[in-house]
Amino acid sequence: MKFNKKTGARVAATAVAAALAMGSLAGCAPAGSDTFTVWWYEKDTAMAKTWDAALKELGTKHPNVKIKFELKTWDQIQKAGNAILDSDKAPDLAEWNKGNATAGTAAAAGLLVDLKDYSAKYGWGDKLPGSALLYGQYDEKGLMGSGELYGIPSYGEYVSWFYNNDLFKQYGVSVPTTPEELDQLLADLKAQGAVQAFGGGGYQNVHMAYALAVSQADQAWVANFQQFKGDVDWSKWEYAANKMAEWKSKGYFEAKASGVNPDDAVAAFQAGKYPLILGGTWLDQTTADKAKFDWGKFQNPGTLSVGSAGNLLVIPSRSKNKDLAAEFIDLVLSTKYQNMLGNEGGLPLLADQAALTNPVTQKSYSVFDKIVKADGLAMYPDWPVPGYYDVQLAAGTKLVADGDAAAYVKTIKDFYDAGKAELQ
């Protein structure tokens, strides 16, 4: 996804009870212990295809159980989910939106099963790194990132550099592995009249700043910034802002990048006009479809990367088949189905890289696997406080235009501090 805006809402589970009147959600109660009712809202995606295959295998293993699958929409779960969980219409297992205002409120209201016993039984805590598991962890207030385990992710997404290998060969440059090598790469390209594609007037400036900040950070810093575990070391943001100002002054992106839309920058890169661009995994398939050159990806050099695990598989407290639901989750996390997820074009958390045959997934997973194994996912920059994305976007656009790093840091710090005070 391009951005993940957290609403900051602290909604009681019954606040949307009226939504139970929705005809599309009526009559969905599990028929009893011999019926296993499953919901998800993935449609025609790698996750949908993989989960469907796993569900069929589960049915084969338990022939006396009737499998009842119902396709929902993201909007239905977002608007009416908690109210349904608090009724006799709750499913046995469901895909649920990660975040404080969704899975967090459901967990805080006691509507989801604490999965610690299942995690111990199946070894989920050993299989999945902490930076992936935290999306299913919520404290007593429903804040994501710590507390008990209420949901399990099975796929992910991240931000990295896409590069044109044909142009890299033409310019005689190579993939960087350290921040210093990245600087040298940009300098070498500039010396030959080439710069990065950069949509500095849109979401790309938000990702760029955070990518640079977390390249200097660790998971303790992320916990402080994202989950208010401690005081934030703003020197990481100062590094990011100063680096972007430096790149501007040295001409490492277009002089008028603050007026460039990211979609236009992406299109220009995919047309072969630029040697590299910072972008997310949502660009994988379109780049494969449109690029007429040899392309690849590399992690932004440093310690951590912008990205997260995907939405969650949860077991409602009212589930009548909790053990079966946990067995399904474990199937989805198995190497067999993680490999299938990758070969269908998704981004699995636990695949065997050698078994992936989808060429797009091979390019993307080779980078993602290193990030996950290094416990390197750093979330998204706008998650901590409501309204943060718009502030970061405006401040980032200004930074790309005028190079005033100090003003950028002050703007995002002041808004963060005010929002944090309201939440605590």
Side-chain angles (χ1 to χ4, degrees), residues 147-165:
E148 304 303 335
L149 183 65
Y150 292 99
I152 297 293
S154 63
Y155 64 96
E157 58 187 29
Y158 68 98
V159 173
S160 67
W161 291 92
F162 290 68
Y163 71 100
N164 182 327
N165 195 39

Side-chain angles (χ1 to χ4, degrees), residues 161-163 168 185-186 189 196-197 269 274-278 298:
W161 291 92
F162 290 68
Y163 71 100
F168 267 42
L185 167 66
L186 296 174
L189 289 171
Q196 60 178 294
F269 169 77
Y274 291 85
L276 75 169
I277 187 172
L278 188 77
F298 63 86

Side-chain angles (χ1 to χ4, degrees), residues 314-334:
V314 302
I315 304 176
S317 297
R318 287 178 175 260
S319 169
K320 297 179 181 179
N321 283 292
K322 296 178 177 66
D323 290 349
L324 206 57
E327 186 178 340
F328 175 80
I329 292 173
D330 195 57
L331 265 180
V332 168
L333 292 179
S334 69

Side-chain angles (χ1 to χ4, degrees), residues 280-298:
T281 44
W282 53 87
L283 302 180
D284 287 351
Q285 192 58 56
T286 59
T287 300
D289 293 341
K290 296 179 180 180
K292 305 303 181 185
F293 51 84
D294 178 24
W295 63 278
K297 300 178 70 171
F298 63 86

Side-chain angles (χ1 to χ4, degrees), residues 163-185:
Y163 71 100
N164 182 327
N165 195 39
D166 293 345
L167 288 180
F168 267 42
K169 290 179 179 178
Q170 177 182 324
Y171 294 126
V173 296
S174 57
V175 170
T177 59
T178 66
E180 293 76 19
E181 288 179 359
L182 176 60
D183 280 341
Q184 188 60 55
L185 167 66

Side-chain angles (χ1 to χ4, degrees), residues 50-51 54 115 118-119 122-129 132-133 149 151-155 309 311 313 325-341 348-352 365:
T50 303
W51 297 350
L115 301 177
Y118 290 121
S119 180
Y122 290 109
W124 296 337
D126 296 325
K127 292 179 181 178
L128 293 166
L133 278 175
L149 183 65
I152 297 293
S154 63
Y155 64 96
N311 283 319
L313 293 173
E327 186 178 340
F328 175 80
I329 292 173
D330 195 57
L331 265 180
V332 168
L333 292 179
S334 69
T335 301
K336 173 183 177 180
Y337 288 108
Q338 286 287 288
N339 289 349
M340 180 180 176
L341 176 64
L349 293 172
L350 299 170
D352 175 4
Y365 190 78

